[in-house]
Amino acid sequence: LGATTTPSLQQSTRMFGAQLFKGAFASSAGSTFNQSYVINPGDNVNLRLWGAYQFAGTLTVDPQGNIFVPNVGPVKVAGTTNGNLQNLIQQNVRRVYVSNVGVYAALEQAQPVKVMVTGFVNQPGAYGGVANDSILAYLDRAGGVDPERGSYVDVQIQRNGRMMQYVNLYDFLLAGQLQPFSFKDGDIIVVAPRKHTFSVDGEVFNPYDFEFNVDQLTVAKALSVARVKPGATHVSISRRQG
């Protein structure tokens, strides 16, 4: 199928991907108990030491990414995962107290962040969440991708003018793949305008309009996303060329 920038033969409300944004992601917050969560400045760490030296309190990760452990000094925790937090702090405590001091460390609260969502979404704006909320949650809070004009295959996460991650939502819809990302305050999600489209009907499990972001698309690739039914035997192609 050749690329076309004209509207699909069917109404764009049939756009594959529009079913993602119905509020299910907007109401779900990322869990701070996630072992892969990456510690950020502003997060709060619950620390307890007992034995030869005792301490109990909540330490906030400072802008340099450190917490200050009494009698031990600054420990850089930003960038480490939640699952490795206990071991990292314990290793630093052992440099001062080789034995007789027990260590317990756990993420108590993740720092809230505000992320700008803009481009071709229904309600552009700044939306609150936590660092490990998925991009789907922020897009959903912004009303989702505009099904008339927005792209489901070209979504960017930007930080200080630099592109941090490129997201193709079809990877999630068709294969369940969604690369994790740790948001920071002020990050921007930009939804690009829609690319080329094709429409599939007939003996397929996914009779929708689909978007693609390459100049040429093979019939085999088109049918792989439409999921052909076992009884299908032939394909006919109609192309709008002015």
Side-chain angles (χ1 to χ4, degrees):
L1 292 175
T4 174
T5 55
T6 59
S8 80
L9 300 178
Q10 304 294 326
Q11 294 297 315
S12 59
T13 51
R14 281 179 20 120
M15 200 69 204
F16 187 68
Q19 67 268 41
L20 267 176
F21 304 111
K22 298 184 183 295
F25 294 105
S27 58
S28 61
S31 171
T32 56
F33 299 102
N34 185 347
Q35 293 295 298
S36 61
Y37 174 78
V38 177
I39 307 298
N40 291 282
D43 289 348
N44 291 323
V45 175
N46 185 359
L47 178 65
R48 294 179 182 274
L49 306 176
W50 67 92
Y53 178 76
Q54 298 185 11
F55 172 81
T58 299
L59 305 175
T60 301
V61 184
D62 67 23
Q64 284 73 43
N66 301 317
I67 58 172
F68 193 89
V69 180
N71 280 14
V72 174
V75 176
K76 188 171 183 62
V77 295
T80 193
T81 62
N82 194 18
N84 192 48
L85 180 63
Q86 166 84 20
N87 288 335
L88 177 65
I89 295 177
Q90 189 166 285
Q91 288 171 8
N92 280 270
V93 171
R94 290 284 177 265
R95 293 173 184 171
V96 178
Y97 300 103
V98 179
S99 61
N100 299 326
V101 173
V103 179
Y104 171 83
L107 180 65
E108 183 179 78
Q109 183 181 359
Q111 170 73 3
V113 298
K114 275 203 170 180
V115 174
M116 295 291 296
V117 186
T118 188
F120 291 83
V121 291
N122 286 313
Q123 297 171 343
Y127 293 90
V130 295
N132 65 325
D133 279 350
S134 73
I135 187 173
L136 294 173
Y138 287 108
L139 287 172
D140 207 2
R141 289 165 192 156
V145 174
D146 183 340
E148 303 288 335
R149 305 176 301 145
S151 175
Y152 293 91
V153 300
D154 187 358
V155 182
Q156 293 187 12
I157 303 173
Q158 299 178 1
R159 178 175 297 162
N160 297 326
R162 189 162 60 97
M163 205 269 277
M164 302 296 293
Q165 190 178 104
Y166 173 84
V167 179
N168 183 335
L169 296 176
Y170 280 8
D171 292 340
F172 174 74
L173 273 166
L174 295 168
Q177 298 174 355
L178 187 66
Q179 195 174 352
F181 185 82
S182 184
F183 285 94
K184 289 187 177 180
D185 211 39
D187 283 352
I188 302 174
I189 297 171
V190 182
V191 177
R194 173 165 314 155
K195 307 302 182 191
H196 315 298
T197 61
F198 65 92
S199 180
V200 181
D201 283 294
E203 293 297 300
V204 292
F205 290 107
N206 292 331
Y208 291 101
D209 296 346
F210 293 88
E211 185 183 4
F212 63 105
N213 56 355
V214 292
D215 291 333
Q216 296 287 328
L217 187 72
T218 65
V219 174
K221 180 65 175 177
L223 295 181
S224 72
V225 296
R227 303 269 168 89
V228 180
K229 292 182 179 179
T233 57
H234 293 75
V235 177
S236 63
I237 299 171
S238 300
R239 179 177 296 159
R240 188 181 281 180
Q241 297 189 109

